[in-house]
Amino acid sequence: MAERKENSTNSVNRKCIVESNDLSYAIDMVGGRWKLLILVNLEKKKLRFNEIRKAMSSITERMLTLQLRELEADGLISRTVYAEVPPRVEYELTEISTELIPIWKKLCAWGARHRKARA
Amino acid sequence: MAERKENSTNSVNRKCIVESNDLSYAIDMVGGRWKLLILVNLEKKKLRFNEIRKAMSSITERMLTLQLRELEADGLISRTVYAEVPPRVEYELTEISTELIPIWKKLCAWGARHRKARA
DNA sequence: TGCGGAACTAACAAAAAAGTAAGTATGGCC
DNA sequence: GGCCATACTTACTTTTTTGTTAGTTCCGCA
């Protein structure tokens, strides 16, 4: 049987689908109201639970816990517990999430440009 | 009264808050399950309502309508209605959303890298 | 004995997002 | 007259996400 020759529309479509999957995956990882914001706070240095909480005054403890857990499960942050009393837990970016820094910087810049352009 | 001299921690904090605001703004604009995906589909060329819908087989008509309306209201897509029967409506990226192309490309690339790295 | 602090956890409630299914307008075509 | 197609609306339900409040654990300290 002869193979069907593909037209360019099909290959454009398929490429788009692959990109959509990669993008969906990325959105799953860092999407939502909080995740990127949490990561940004860890950009400069590792922080403890309460430090993140204070830095992001509008997040609740519960949400912060949930989001940190998901980020950890997805390998985007690492969590280190020090056996002290009271407990001390530090969160920091991983290699994988460090790769995102230039991306959120660009997003910030975009936001800054267009947020000003309205106001 | 003497002005209080600022320490570097304070200025780091403030910078972080400003960035967070810009980023929150950006997340508001393009966050959610669908918006970036819709924009990506418009990257190569303008599309009609049903073309977008077919390209994104998992979105419902309702959601597509709602998301398109928000994107339009936020200036991220333009909507052109042709006075024909049956109606024809075309959507395309605006200048503002075109600026996001390199950002979602990078996100795609990141997603591709780490999606493979698991599987 | 009992308070304090850090980092949670659990139970429940409210709000927001998404899905389902049916209906609308228009005018050409059979 | 009835059907087709496109691009939506509308009403309603389900699911997901967030928020609220109240514990819990551990040990040191007054």
Side-chain angles (χ1 to χ4, degrees), chain A residues 23-41:
Chain A
L23 191 55
S24 292
Y25 174 83
I27 291 172
D28 261 25
M29 287 292 156
V30 299
R33 260 230 264 314
W34 303 117
K35 287 184 177 174
L36 267 184
L37 259 14
I38 292 172
L39 294 177
V40 165
N41 275 283

Side-chain angles (χ1 to χ4, degrees), chain A:
Chain A
M1 283 172 233
E3 297 211 341
R4 182 180 305 237
K5 197 167 153 197
E6 240 177 45
N7 61 34
S8 74
T9 301
N10 270 345
S11 77
V12 163
N13 283 346
R14 235 212 338 270
K15 193 177 167 220
C16 209
I17 287 168
V18 170
E19 285 188 346
S20 288
N21 287 336
D22 293 339
L23 191 55
S24 292
Y25 174 83
I27 291 172
D28 261 25
M29 287 292 156
V30 299
R33 260 230 264 314
W34 303 117
K35 287 184 177 174
L36 267 184
L37 259 14
I38 292 172
L39 294 177
V40 165
N41 275 283
L42 296 173
E43 183 183 330
K44 284 129 195 159
K45 57 177 161 63
K46 57 176 123 169
L47 292 178
R48 305 176 58 169
F49 185 87
N50 275 330
E51 289 175 322
I52 305 176
R53 202 165 63 93
K54 274 164 207 156
M56 304 175 59
S57 50
S58 61
I59 198 171
T60 63
E61 284 194 358
R62 195 182 97 94
M63 270 303 109
L64 183 53
T65 306
L66 289 175
Q67 301 299 316
L68 287 172
R69 289 284 172 283
E70 286 186 26
L71 287 167
E72 194 197 352
D74 290 336
L76 299 183
I77 57 174
S78 69
R79 178 173 181 269
T80 312
V81 184
Y82 295 88
E84 303 173 0
V85 168
R88 179 161 62 101
V89 181
E90 290 185 339
Y91 295 92
E92 62 185 313
L93 298 186
T94 61
E95 256 187 61
I96 293 177
S97 51
T98 301
E99 290 175 20
L100 291 169
I101 294 178
I103 298 178
W104 71 58
K105 291 247 180 226
K106 270 163 168 275
L107 244 195
C108 278
W110 180 88
R113 276 201 302 282
H114 299 295
R115 201 155 71 101
K116 270 182 208 140
R118 306 182 137 202

Side-chain angles (χ1 to χ4, degrees), chain B residues 20-48:
Chain B
S20 287
N21 286 337
D22 292 339
L23 190 56
S24 292
Y25 174 83
I27 291 172
D28 260 25
M29 287 294 156
V30 298
R33 260 229 267 309
W34 302 116
K35 287 184 178 174
L36 266 185
L37 260 12
I38 292 173
L39 295 177
V40 165
N41 275 283
L42 296 174
E43 183 184 330
K44 284 127 194 160
K45 57 179 162 65
K46 57 176 121 169
L47 293 178
R48 304 175 59 169

Side-chain angles (χ1 to χ4, degrees), chain B residues 48 50 61-62 65 69 79 86-87 91:
Chain B
R48 304 175 59 169
N50 275 331
E61 284 194 355
R62 196 183 97 96
T65 306
R69 289 284 172 283
R79 178 173 181 270
Y91 295 91

